[in-house]
Amino acid sequence: MTTIEVESFLETFQTLVMASITPDGEPHASTAPYIRLENNFYILISTVAQHGRNLLAAQKVSLLFAEDESQCIQPFARKRVTIEAGVSEVGSDEENFSQVIDRFKAHFDPELVASLCSMGDFHLFKLSPKSGSAVMGFGKAYRLNENLEIVTHISAQHQHQK
């Protein structure tokens, strides 16, 4: 397993699954289209939606990229990358806001993206990886650093019940 294989896997997705925490401390799972610029993931979401409010309140999120079930040979060993990330809002006055929105327009419906940007409740969030893991099958689990580079193979003995 190489870092390039992790990158290639991530390039197959247009949306991410995220787990965030509600202001009441409850877990909340959702999904959003994203673009990637350098090592960061950017999402354009509404704060009317629960996940938008969650990200404003708690600046951490877990991201999941999982192999399409129709392509999965063994569900117990489904290929996946999980990333723990910090969250920050990118204001429209910030230097890279236009660059990120232009990338969204290039990857998705440009008129829709422009329309979403004109709505006051849509915010651009930057999700910055802190660490993660990649599982590419049985015995193929790896720890990732903040650059999503493989740093170690995860190995442990399974315990058998008596």
Side-chain angles (χ1 to χ4, degrees):
M1 181 69 188
T2 66
T3 298
I4 292 172
E5 289 173 287
V6 172
E7 287 295 326
S8 295
F9 180 73
L10 290 174
E11 287 175 7
T12 66
F13 296 88
Q14 292 189 76
T15 60
L16 52 77
V17 175
M18 68 180 124
S20 57
I21 305 289
T22 68
D24 296 330
E26 295 296 323
H28 179 81
S30 59
T31 186
Y34 78 96
I35 60 105
R36 196 157 168 215
L37 193 59
E38 296 170 353
N39 201 42
N40 298 305
F41 298 83
Y42 291 86
I43 57 174
L44 181 63
I45 59 173
S46 171
T47 53
V48 172
Q50 184 66 56
H51 58 203
R53 294 191 308 275
N54 295 348
L55 297 186
L56 288 174
Q59 285 78 46
K60 57 185 175 181
V61 68
S62 182
L63 309 177
L64 173 66
F65 302 86
E67 177 182 28
D68 186 324
E69 285 185 343
S70 69
Q71 306 296 313
C72 180
I73 296 169
Q74 176 48 262
F76 284 99
R78 188 174 175 191
K79 293 178 184 176
R80 60 200 177 270
V81 171
T82 304
I83 300 167
E84 288 72 45
V87 177
S88 58
E89 187 177 357
V90 179
S92 59
D93 59 339
E94 291 187 43
E95 184 178 320
N96 68 338
F97 181 87
S98 294
Q99 178 187 16
V100 173
I101 294 302
D102 287 345
R103 288 284 296 272
F104 267 103
K105 289 177 179 177
H107 283 59
F108 302 102
D109 179 343
E111 290 179 18
L112 176 60
V113 172
S115 177
L116 297 176
C117 287
S118 71
M119 296 179 189
D121 60 299
F122 272 80
H123 296 251
L124 181 63
F125 291 94
K126 177 172 81 170
L127 313 177
S128 304
K130 293 182 175 184
S131 64
S133 63
V135 176
M136 296 296 144
F138 287 123
K140 298 177 184 175
Y142 305 89
R143 289 256 177 261
L144 306 175
N145 65 14
E146 68 277 2
N147 297 314
L148 304 182
E149 299 166 332
I150 294 174
V151 290
T152 187
H153 181 256
I154 301 169
S155 60
Q157 290 289 91
H158 291 284
Q159 297 179 2
H160 297 279
Q161 291 186 0
K162 295 178 184 182

